[in-house]
Amino acid sequence: MTEDSIKIVGFHAHVYFDTASYDAASRIREGLDARFDVRLGRWHENPIGPHPKGMYQVAFAPEQFAKVVPWLMLNREGLDILVHPETGDDVKDHTEHALWLGEKLELNIEFLRAISERKA
């Protein structure tokens, strides 16, 4: 399969936070909810899955990318945010296809590989 034929069915943004940046993460979440048609995931105050810090997920349609991502760029309040497509390849989506706002954090890619192997 070529990169041209990969279909993006949606996007996820993972907003990372810790106890010191919880209020900023909350303001970002409120801003997203008020401005965009997004699905806000649960707060995870501890690392979960491949994610090395607390975070929440924001899911949005491809049509929303041009609005949501620029807003996050300008309103991330210094937080690190991973934006990735949903193509069905979790490993590539979180690595090769990923976009980082702020610092690129070290993800537990082995966790994603193990899930991919179970699906195969």
Side-chain angles (χ1 to χ4, degrees):
M1 180 182 293
T2 66
E3 296 294 316
D4 297 11
S5 63
I6 294 173
K7 177 140 176 70
I8 295 173
V9 298
F11 285 94
H12 290 167
H14 298 275
V15 178
Y16 296 97
F17 63 91
D18 55 26
T19 53
S21 59
Y22 185 90
D23 289 345
S26 184
R27 287 189 297 274
I28 293 167
R29 185 180 178 92
E30 290 168 9
L32 287 164
D33 191 37
R35 289 168 178 81
F36 305 107
D37 182 19
V38 297
R39 290 183 320 278
L40 297 168
R42 294 187 334 216
W43 289 88
H44 297 281
E45 294 187 12
N46 296 304
I48 184 168
H51 305 285
K53 317 175 49 164
M55 64 93 198
Y56 59 82
Q57 176 179 282
V58 183
F60 53 99
E63 302 79 40
Q64 289 284 85
F65 184 92
K67 294 179 181 179
V68 173
V69 174
W71 187 88
L72 286 170
M73 289 171 150
L74 298 177
N75 295 281
R76 66 183 185 86
E77 296 197 39
L79 299 185
D80 302 314
I81 301 174
L82 165 63
V83 179
H84 69 80
E86 290 182 272
T87 68
D89 186 335
D90 288 339
V91 173
K92 280 189 175 181
D93 289 349
H94 286 78
T95 56
E96 294 175 36
H97 302 155
L99 165 70
W100 284 91
L101 305 177
E103 182 183 339
K104 180 179 179 181
L105 303 179
E106 189 71 31
L107 300 177
N108 180 356
I109 300 306
E110 291 308 313
F111 177 88
L112 294 174
R113 283 194 180 104
I115 289 174
S116 294
E117 288 173 7
R118 278 186 252 145
K119 288 181 184 177

